[in-house]
Amino acid sequence: MKSGRIAIVGLLFCVTALSAQVEPLYFLRSNNARMQYNPGLPARQNFHLGIGAGNFGFSLNTGPLTYNNLFVQGEDGYKYINVDQLLYAFKQPKEQTGRLEFRTEVLNFGLAIGNTSAGVSLQLRSDAAVRMPGEAFAYLLEGNAEYVGMPVTSEMSANGCAFMEAGLTLQHTFKKKFTIGVRPKYLVGLACVQTREGELRLFTDNDWNLHVGGVADISLLFPDENTYVTDNGRFSYPSVMHAARHGRGFGLDAGADVKVTNHIGLSFAMLDLGNIRWDGADRYRRQRLTVGINPDCPYYEDGDLVFKGIDYDQLRQLVEGDKPFEHIADSLKEWLVYTWSEDSASAFRYNLVPKAMAEVRYSFTDNHSLSALLRTDFLPEKVMPSVTLGYSGHFPFVDLGLSYTLWDNYGRKNLLGVGVDFKSGPVHWMLALHQLEMDWKEGRFQWKNMRQVALQAGVYFAFGKRDPYKEKKNKKDKKDKN
């Protein structure tokens, strides 16, 4: 059972949704794959097909941690934790959320006839985030005397959901000027993690004794593995389908694209409207992880850990010394206690994170255009916008897409993305690298200062070029030219 829980947690934090930024593949206008960002963008091929996990997107966001924040090389040649840089990073509240995100496409099929296009898609997705108590970490490492007598509380959380998404895309172009598209989606919940309570409390009294308290209370919902196997130990597909009926929901994507003039265009989209609801049936298990202070620890007093006469210089030396992670892990095993318990099998609902996108573009030739795009994510606690500039270039054997994010939904700036679509007959191979943080002060790319990076790749087959906005020349025009 323990291994099953570990596998579910791994699924949540290794199979996650695309990040809240605009990927460079959005600007590759000569393929149908970009319709996942806006079902109202006109299909550019009469037929396209993508099969298998070769179509995926991966995104890593490490929150306040960068290579240079973590490590510094000492005079002895060994690597040590860079405490001073960590202190600065931990004091930035906007940097405390880390993410690991991934989307894989099982099937993507589309067909266009005349001004109408339709397609089906099946994807494995999830959405997950971890909030680290950075302010408390900075307080511990710094030991600022100004905080004596003043409590410091830092929130921490882990929330996410993994699910399957089956979508049906329908779009139609009117008067060769504007396109409207919708994608209703059927959602099957796989697993979910939700933090009920999470905080780390620190307090230094007038005698310079450090009091440490806190709690983490997390609910974990996942399918009961016993429903997936038969009596002889074989995997049971009917059981999987039956279990999926108890964790399901519906979503909707909608979008529109408008050709204002031959050079100016607008597009709008609203994505991920909907939710997933579990009915509490026994096909799913709901467990509760509780982490608290170990009452058997020698430092335990009245619900907290009390360290008398703490030496902050000694604490810094511990972190900066040899094998700091091992020392910290050993200490946590002594100070903390955790328990797994069965939770009540009640109904549970997970809301998708709605996203709005608005773009204005200028096509200075038929094959090249520039764009400005605003994306806004509507999180439960706040609204988070990001602004991106993009370039789209169409060449004989390759299409190029460039994205430059002025600032993203976490306030990070100067994020660069590059995407290409290599074309060899009906075979298209897409590759993109983005969320690369550029440091213009250094005058060059500094990967050791990066907090995030993302990769996308995909292979699909496409036939028949299509432009529903192209005006057909009538017979009279042709005769006049002759």
Side-chain angles (χ1 to χ4, degrees):
M1 295 301 298
K2 183 177 180 180
S3 61
R5 291 192 292 261
I6 294 175
I8 295 298
V9 173
L11 173 66
L12 280 164
F13 289 96
C14 292
V15 184
T16 57
L18 290 175
S19 65
Q21 297 192 13
V22 180
E23 291 77 15
L25 293 188
Y26 176 91
F27 301 105
L28 297 179
R29 302 191 180 280
S30 62
N31 67 74
N32 289 354
R34 62 193 296 265
M35 291 167 60
Q36 65 176 303
Y37 307 102
N38 184 346
L41 296 175
R44 294 298 182 178
Q45 283 101 23
N46 292 321
F47 171 84
H48 75 276
L49 173 66
I51 300 177
N55 301 310
F56 69 90
F58 170 85
S59 176
L60 173 66
N61 186 331
T62 60
L65 306 179
T66 69
Y67 183 88
N68 282 338
N69 283 345
L70 275 177
F71 302 107
V72 62
Q73 186 167 346
E75 296 179 356
D76 55 3
Y78 290 97
K79 296 285 186 179
Y80 299 98
I81 292 182
N82 193 340
V83 175
D84 293 332
Q85 288 293 330
L86 277 179
L87 282 174
Y88 175 78
F90 284 148
K91 289 181 179 180
Q92 309 302 315
K94 65 184 180 181
E95 305 288 359
Q96 302 311 315
T97 300
R99 305 178 71 93
L100 178 61
E101 311 178 29
F102 187 82
R103 175 200 296 251
T104 184
E105 196 169 69
V106 181
L107 173 66
N108 188 344
F109 168 79
L111 181 65
I113 300 177
N115 292 325
T116 302
S117 174
V120 295
S121 62
L122 180 63
Q123 299 183 3
L124 176 63
R125 297 181 53 187
S126 80
D127 191 4
V130 177
R131 174 65 163 79
M132 292 172 280
E135 304 94 328
F137 291 161
Y139 174 85
L140 279 174
L141 294 176
E142 189 174 36
N144 195 333
E146 295 180 0
Y147 288 95
V148 174
M150 298 175 57
V152 174
T153 301
S154 288
E155 295 182 357
M156 53 185 177
S157 62
N159 298 286
C161 183
F163 56 95
M164 292 287 294
E165 174 189 293
L168 173 62
T169 301
L170 299 171
Q171 70 169 220
H172 186 78
T173 300
F174 299 88
K175 298 182 179 181
K176 300 187 182 298
K177 290 292 184 180
F178 60 93
T179 302
I180 296 178
V182 295
R183 179 166 50 239
K185 303 184 291 187
Y186 181 74
L187 310 174
V188 177
L190 302 178
C192 208
V193 169
Q194 186 178 52
T195 299
R196 297 182 174 185
E197 182 181 7
E199 65 176 16
L200 178 60
R201 303 186 306 272
L202 301 175
F203 174 71
T204 300
D205 59 30
N206 294 327
D207 296 325
W208 291 88
N209 299 320
L210 176 64
H211 300 249
V212 180
V215 64
D217 191 354
I218 301 173
S219 291
L220 178 63
L221 181 70
F222 57 96
D224 188 348
E225 56 265 39
N226 294 326
T227 65
Y228 286 83
V229 295
T230 59
D231 294 337
N232 58 6
R234 293 185 177 182
F235 199 77
S236 174
Y237 291 98
S239 296
V240 176
M241 298 304 296
H242 183 69
R245 288 164 34 191
H246 298 282
R248 59 184 177 178
F250 297 93
L252 178 67
D253 299 339
D257 185 82
V258 182
K259 180 182 177 182
V260 180
T261 68
N262 289 333
H263 297 285
I264 299 175
L266 303 173
S267 66
F268 308 91
M270 195 73 190
L271 308 177
D272 288 335
L273 299 172
N275 60 68
I276 304 173
R277 188 179 185 276
W278 285 264
D279 59 11
D282 59 2
R283 291 285 180 175
Y284 278 84
R285 297 195 61 189
R286 188 169 181 177
Q287 294 216 321
R288 188 173 179 179
L289 172 63
T290 305
V291 182
I293 303 300
N294 184 6
D296 296 327
C297 178
Y299 302 105
Y300 181 83
E301 290 185 15
D302 299 327
D304 290 339
L305 297 176
V306 180
F307 302 92
K308 299 181 179 180
I310 185 171
D311 187 342
Y312 286 99
D313 291 335
Q314 184 178 2
L315 178 61
R316 287 175 63 99
Q317 292 176 5
L318 171 66
V319 176
E320 294 174 336
D322 188 29
K323 298 181 179 179
F325 295 107
E326 294 184 12
H327 294 309
I328 295 173
D330 292 339
S331 298
L332 292 178
K333 290 179 182 179
E334 179 185 9
W335 299 342
L336 304 178
V337 62
Y338 71 92
T339 57
W340 287 96
S341 61
E342 292 289 342
D343 206 346
S344 59
S346 57
F348 181 82
R349 188 176 73 173
Y350 173 80
N351 295 319
L352 301 181
V353 178
K355 308 167 186 66
M357 301 176 68
E359 177 199 15
V360 56
R361 64 180 177 272
Y362 177 77
S363 301
F364 48 93
T365 71
D366 291 339
N367 296 327
H368 303 275
S369 64
L370 298 175
S371 299
L373 195 148
L374 170 66
R375 170 171 170 165
T376 304
D377 288 41
F378 298 88
L379 300 177
E381 63 275 13
K382 58 182 175 179
V383 176
M384 305 179 73
S386 63
V387 176
T388 299
L389 304 179
Y391 162 76
S392 172
H394 177 62
F395 302 94
F397 299 103
V398 64
D399 287 349
L400 176 65
L402 301 177
S403 65
Y404 180 70
T405 300
L406 301 180
W407 72 86
D408 74 345
N409 53 339
Y410 290 105
R412 299 181 178 92
K413 302 178 181 180
N414 303 328
L415 306 179
L416 180 66
V418 180
V420 291
D421 179 5
F422 297 103
K423 300 170 288 185
S424 177
V427 181
H428 290 243
W429 178 49
M430 299 181 301
L431 181 65
L433 189 64
H434 59 105
Q435 297 189 32
L436 305 176
E437 292 185 84
M438 307 300 296
D439 190 348
W440 299 118
K441 293 180 180 180
E442 296 288 339
R444 59 192 177 94
F445 177 63
Q446 294 282 355
W447 71 267
K448 291 184 178 181
N449 291 328
M450 287 176 49
R451 295 177 178 87
Q452 54 192 18
V453 66
L455 173 69
Q456 289 177 287
V459 178
Y460 71 98
F461 302 90
F463 301 92
K465 293 179 63 176
R466 176 176 182 266
D467 185 357
Y469 292 161
K470 188 174 182 179
E471 297 287 346
K472 294 182 179 179
K473 296 181 179 180
N474 56 44
K475 295 182 179 179
K476 183 179 179 181
D477 294 336
K478 293 181 178 180
K479 184 177 180 180
D480 292 339
K481 286 187 178 182
N482 294 332

